[in-house]
Amino acid sequence: MTRVSDPSAPRIAIVGATGAVGNTLIDLIEKRGFRYRDIHLVASARSAGTELNVDGESHPVRAVDEFDFSTVDLAFFSAGTEASRQWVPRATAAGAVVIDNTIAYRMDPDTPLVVPQVNAHELDRRPRSGVIANPNCSTIPLVRLLKGVEQRWGVRQAVVSTYQAASGLGHPGIDELKDASRAALDHPDETYPAKEFTPSLAFNVIPKIDRFLDSGFTLEEQKMLQESRKILGLPHLDVTTTCVRVPVVNGHSEAVWIETHGVVDRTELVEVLAGLPEVTVHDRESRHAFPTPATVDDPDRVHVGRVRVNPNNPRAFWLWLVADNLTIGAALNAIQIAEELVERRTL
Ligand SMILES: NC(=O)c1ccc[n+]([C@@H]2O[C@H](COP(=O)([O-])OP(=O)(O)OC[C@H]3O[C@@H](n4cnc5c(N)ncnc54)[C@H](OP(=O)(O)O)[C@@H]3O)[C@@H](O)[C@H]2O)c1
């Protein structure tokens, strides 16, 4: 039980509580013993009145348009970008600090974009906008590794291909992948009426996540560049990405090529990566020689494998990473921001 009467513990709201990220946030609040004085679960009018369990207590889900944000100190938003644009200003005007999981405020100059293992210093004071933005789910594990490499050797360029799971589109994405996979097996000659992923993701890979931009890159690919620069404080960092949706239910993977300014010794590289907070390196001699979304056992860690220094250019290397997008890429990062805010008394 993490509901406490301590007046210094925050009163919190979870907007998007019925979603995949919201459900994960509730699990993490319970698992980490995040102390709160009061908790409110909020979603759209569609789920108002349903009940969800937190710490053994049943709580009604309230509709966001009827919720009074002056009753909370901290509001987690994971209800989609449009909902954040509409309701976050109301929450901050009522005095709540918002941790927002959407793209709505990430590039706003008055809003810090925070990965606590990389730039927790941004949380020393309350942001001018009242909002702290949670980065994109593929960006978070990448910058956590890039920070270590930048500090030791300096990053000249990173070239990344992502392999992103269906849960990146929440419950609707998971449901559609499962339904489309069943349909493809049962009715192989029929075209599945895909809505979330087009063409259908079943037994397929799709090299397009989010919309295309005039540059030919997708918005997801642009997010990874812009957000990495902002989080690491490196405005000229060269990160280029191809983002691909794959028929995995949950857990994003990335193949990462990094060119550095110095000669990289593989043993030292493995030590540097393994020494980063909450990173596990699955090296050649470990039981699982490489991580996969289906086999990693701890969703709260970034899993790294296939570390290879380029034999023709020892200033460059490959690695493979796996990170649970609902935890590392969303809810865990958000709760770790909240823990830092409580610790620093910035709420
Ligand atoms: N999934 C990921 O890996 C991931 C990672 C990083 C960031 N995010 C971001 O987190 C957000 C939620 O993602 P998700 O995966 O949890 O999606 P999801 O499973 O579809 O859940 C969406 C949640 O938002 C609520 N909602 C939708 N429209 C709303 C509105 N107009 N007003 C109030 N609540 C509304 C839904 O409530 P109802 O049940 O009432 O419909 C539900 O609780 C998205 O912005 C997404 O981009 C997701």
Side-chain angles (χ1 to χ4, degrees), residues 116-195:
Q117 294 81 356
V118 177
N119 61 343
H121 61 271
E122 297 277 4
L123 303 173
D124 287 344
R125 68 182 68 86
R126 197 177 167 122
R128 201 154 359 144
S129 64
V131 183
I132 296 138
N134 216 43
N136 166 272
C137 46
S138 295
T139 306
I140 292 172
L142 179 67
V143 295
R144 286 176 54 172
L145 303 184
L146 284 179
K147 167 134 190 219
V149 177
E150 169 67 16
Q151 280 180 333
R152 173 60 187 87
W153 292 280
V155 175
R156 215 175 72 73
Q157 188 187 39
V159 182
V160 184
S161 296
T162 69
Y163 302 74
Q164 296 182 221
S167 64
L169 284 193
H171 287 316
I174 296 170
D175 293 344
E176 183 170 296
L177 174 61
K178 290 181 175 173
D179 290 346
S181 301
R182 276 186 218 104
L185 290 171
D186 293 345
H187 310 285
D189 299 328
E190 291 176 21
T191 304
Y192 181 81
K195 279 203 323 228

Side-chain angles (χ1 to χ4, degrees), residues 99-129:
I99 299 174
D100 185 48
N101 250 303
T102 77
I103 190 181
Y105 295 92
R106 287 180 189 157
M107 298 313 294
D108 170 21
D110 291 333
T111 297
L113 182 62
V114 176
V115 176
Q117 294 81 356
V118 177
N119 61 343
H121 61 271
E122 297 277 4
L123 303 173
D124 287 344
R125 68 182 68 86
R126 197 177 167 122
R128 201 154 359 144
S129 64

Side-chain angles (χ1 to χ4, degrees), residues 16-21 43-44 46-47 64 78-81 83 101-102 137 167-168 170-172 325-326 329-330:
T18 53
V21 174
S44 79
R46 288 181 293 274
S47 16
V64 67
S78 54
T81 301
N101 250 303
T102 77
C137 46
S167 64
H171 287 316
N325 46 295
L326 294 174

